[in-house]
Amino acid sequence: NSHLVLAPARDASQDGLLTVDEVRDLDLQKTDLVVLGACESQQGAVNRGDDLIGMSRAFLSAGTPSILASLWVIKEDVAEYHMLQFYHFLLEEKAAKVDALRLAQNETRKKYPDPRDWAAFVLTGDPGPSRTRQQPPAAAAGSNVSPQARRPPNAFYVSPSSAAGSAACPSRAAG
């Protein structure tokens, strides 16, 4: 069963797992974009009807029109750079989501030419313009501002560093 492993709660009230069923129960009608920056977050299981059951489908069922997720393990520094570029083009340059992804891939490819680095993220759902046009905190796209600080207020973001098992992602990606 697909799930995200999040940092454990400070008390025992949460198990740290966000399951497909829990996501489906969320009301994300006002969420414009879900970004799953954690490793292999686009992965899912294929059911008998050849339908991919995974986190992206669960977020779509919960009401968000767009999901950006990774197909494979990606180094954390590359993922952060890519997200900074993506949010720069989405929010500051006012590009449509699909165009922001393409432009972010192009910029990431300049610094990290290996396709395993720049091609890991895919957009599922609505490729059009973001409903959020709020300016992010003032900073250059290449600055040391985390993607969390630059994301739009109606976006849900899970980064590699916010997932409990993420320490393995950078080391697995290095090989």
Side-chain angles (χ1 to χ4, degrees), residues 79-100:
E80 180 176 5
Y81 182 81
H82 191 279
M83 287 298 116
L84 286 170
Q85 298 304 312
F86 175 75
Y87 284 120
H88 166 76
F89 290 113
L90 183 70
L91 299 175
E92 294 176 17
E93 302 295 328
K94 312 289 191 240
K97 292 172 234 176
V98 71
D99 294 328

Side-chain angles (χ1 to χ4, degrees), residues 21 34 37 41-42 52 57 75 80 85 88 99 108 124 153 174:
D21 291 335
V34 170
S41 52
Q42 181 64 24
L52 185 64
R57 180 171 169 185
K75 294 173 264 189
E80 180 176 5
Q85 298 304 312
H88 166 76
D99 294 328
T108 303
T124 303

Side-chain angles (χ1 to χ4, degrees), residues 35-111:
V35 177
L36 301 174
C39 297
E40 300 174 322
S41 52
Q42 181 64 24
Q43 301 296 319
V46 177
N47 72 7
R48 288 186 172 178
D50 292 332
D51 209 7
L52 185 64
I53 307 294
M55 296 308 287
S56 291
R57 180 171 169 185
F59 279 105
L60 288 170
S61 295
T64 191
S66 307
I67 299 95
L68 184 67
S70 67
L71 291 168
W72 52 76
V73 174
I74 185 169
K75 294 173 264 189
E76 192 167 346
D77 60 325
V78 176
E80 180 176 5
Y81 182 81
H82 191 279
M83 287 298 116
L84 286 170
Q85 298 304 312
F86 175 75
Y87 284 120
H88 166 76
F89 290 113
L90 183 70
L91 299 175
E92 294 176 17
E93 302 295 328
K94 312 289 191 240
K97 292 172 234 176
V98 71
D99 294 328
L101 175 60
R102 179 182 49 80
L103 292 164
Q105 288 173 328
N106 289 341
E107 288 301 313
T108 303
R109 185 172 38 205
K110 291 176 187 175
K111 186 171 180 176

